[in-house]
Amino acid sequence: MTDLPRKSTLRPERVEELLKKCGAYQEGHFELRSGRHSGGYVEKFRLLERPEIASELCRAMADAFRDAGVERVVGPALGGVIIAYEVARVLGVPCAFAERVGEKLEFRRGFQFRPGERVLVVEDIVTTGGSAREVVEAARQAGADPIGAAVLVNRSGKPLDLGTSAIALLQLDIASYPPAECPHCRKGIPSHAPGSKGTHKTT
Ligand SMILES: [Zn+2]
């Protein structure tokens, strides 16, 4: 077992291609819930509903940590349950998930860790990094040793800071703008809410 820096074996271009293929990463002109506009949008459930695509990405996450002596793979509910299960399946180890209880992410359902158990934390899309970082902390609290973290997409616009050595298969920097400054509006491209098929003009 080694603690070398980890690297994805899957090219970022391939990751982006797979995310576009299943509709998880859409390009266009979007009105986000925050009121801001963007030229791209990520909806992780379009990926999680496609096992054949998700499993290729999970395999790359597992491969990056194959010789790291991982004893268990853990992730945050909801998306992280699926990712943790699949990465654990590839590595041939158990999995577990943390779920939100009030403000906190906790391991419930009788999940127990051996003291110092080598745990890999996984997450689908990191927007702020909050959930993944909380799982790292929850694993530590439960007596495990979070030896690393692997995420599918880091779209936080910053390097990952998860409290352990972390890799992302894809770094996605999607700019967003107040409508008045939106370059897509200026070009007169119709905008729509993410996930909706219909388009409508914004003024
Ligand atoms: Zn716009």
Side-chain angles (χ1 to χ4, degrees), residues 29 37 182 185:
H29 181 193
H37 286 195
C182 174
C185 283

Side-chain angles (χ1 to χ4, degrees), residues 9-144:
T9 51
L10 208 56
R11 287 176 303 110
E13 295 78 16
R14 173 65 178 160
V15 177
E16 192 171 326
E17 181 190 322
L18 287 171
L19 292 172
K20 283 181 179 163
K21 184 175 165 189
C22 63
Y25 177 31
Q26 298 169 30
E27 289 177 298
H29 181 193
F30 300 98
E31 294 171 42
L32 306 177
R33 264 195 297 271
S34 62
R36 293 172 72 87
H37 286 195
S38 79
Y41 179 72
V42 180
E43 173 48 85
K44 65 187 184 185
F45 288 101
R46 295 295 74 73
L47 171 68
L48 297 174
E49 70 181 352
R50 297 287 296 276
E52 83 284 15
I53 295 178
S55 71
E56 182 173 344
L57 297 173
C58 289
R59 177 168 294 279
M61 294 165 92
D63 282 346
F65 285 88
R66 200 171 276 281
D67 61 352
V70 173
E71 294 175 282
R72 190 189 287 261
V73 183
V74 301
L78 193 56
V81 179
I82 296 170
I83 303 293
Y85 180 97
E86 182 62 13
V87 174
R89 193 186 65 77
V90 174
L91 290 175
V93 299
C95 60
F97 60 85
E99 59 199 294
R100 203 160 288 284
V101 183
E103 300 271 284
K104 274 189 74 183
L105 272 173
E106 288 177 10
F107 290 98
R108 309 186 92 196
R109 319 275 170 182
F111 291 130
Q112 288 191 336
F113 299 88
R114 186 178 56 70
E117 188 169 331
R118 292 174 69 83
V119 160
L120 172 64
V121 174
V122 296
E123 170 67 303
D124 40 46
I125 316 288
V126 164
T127 304
T128 62
S131 298
R133 202 179 306 119
E134 278 184 70
V135 176
V136 169
E137 197 43 49
R140 256 183 210 128
Q141 295 272 330

Side-chain angles (χ1 to χ4, degrees), residues 163-174:
T164 184
S165 108
I167 63 155
L169 297 189
L170 179 66
Q171 178 85 31
L172 205 53
D173 297 315
I174 304 174

Side-chain angles (χ1 to χ4, degrees), residues 153-193:
V153 181
N154 173 18
R155 53 153 309 179
S156 69
K158 294 180 290 204
L160 288 172
D161 174 17
L162 304 181
T164 184
S165 108
I167 63 155
L169 297 189
L170 179 66
Q171 178 85 31
L172 205 53
D173 297 315
I174 304 174
S176 70
Y177 315 87
E181 295 165 24
C182 174
H184 312 286
C185 283
R186 217 167 286 152
K187 284 187 213 149
I189 301 166
S191 64
H192 50 98

